[in-house]
Amino acid sequence: MGFCCGACMVGAVGTLRQGSTLVHNVPLLYCPICHEVEVHHSVQDEFELLMEYARGDGAREVNLSEFIEGKGEDWKETCTGFQDGEPETVLREQIDMALDLLRVARQLEDGEWESALKHRLHVLGKRLARYRKAKTNR
């Protein structure tokens, strides 16, 4: 589990660009608030090694899943959430967590934390509304 701006990062599988090389099927952690993206720590070493090979070979595209076959999907268990095609689920989970934390911030009378959580909820609410609108316009 990773943290960036204070929100929980969620797991996903995606493509990263490293210089002129595209790396496909990378286990990632990303933040739905600030959009910070990082390679999941369980495959970080393999990712860096693959990038060294790709740079040496001048490869434009590589596939990390071929390089980490033995690792399986165990890395998903360390994520607080996992986006598997449905962003609405992830957004709802993040909203629920932020609401729980807001309750705690109010009990502790921590105005700064409460303000940050209200901002997070505002951002998540806008993203959820935008996603729903895009979904209905399809």
Side-chain angles (χ1 to χ4, degrees), residues 5-80:
C5 65
C8 290
M9 297 179 86
V10 295
V13 175
T15 298
L16 285 181
R17 176 176 296 279
Q18 294 288 307
S20 62
T21 304
L22 287 176
V23 186
H24 301 289
N25 297 309
V26 180
L28 302 169
L29 291 173
Y30 85 96
C31 177
I33 305 295
C34 69
H35 299 285
E36 176 76 20
V37 175
E38 59 188 54
V39 176
H40 193 277
H41 64 274
S42 69
V43 297
Q44 183 70 43
D45 293 339
E46 291 87 349
F47 177 81
E48 290 174 8
L49 188 58
L50 180 60
M51 286 310 307
E52 285 181 35
Y53 291 154
R55 280 187 214 109
D57 293 344
R60 296 288 222 180
E61 293 188 39
V62 291
N63 190 335
L64 186 62
S65 66
E66 296 169 359
F67 203 69
I68 57 170
E69 284 182 28
K71 291 250 180 182
E73 303 276 315
D74 296 340
W75 67 274
K76 289 181 182 180
E77 293 176 12
T78 63
C79 300
T80 57

Side-chain angles (χ1 to χ4, degrees), residues 84-102:
D84 202 14
E86 193 59 45
E88 185 172 358
T89 303
V90 171
L91 289 170
R92 287 181 176 281
E93 288 173 357
Q94 291 289 317
I95 289 170
D96 287 345
M97 281 189 270
L99 287 170
D100 291 342
L101 292 172
L102 182 61

Side-chain angles (χ1 to χ4, degrees), residues 117-134:
L117 288 167
K118 285 180 181 178
H119 173 72
R120 185 181 309 165
L121 284 164
H122 177 73
V123 171
L124 287 167
K126 285 173 62 175
R127 292 216 174 107
L128 182 59
R130 193 174 340 140
Y131 174 78
R132 284 182 173 166
K133 184 177 179 182

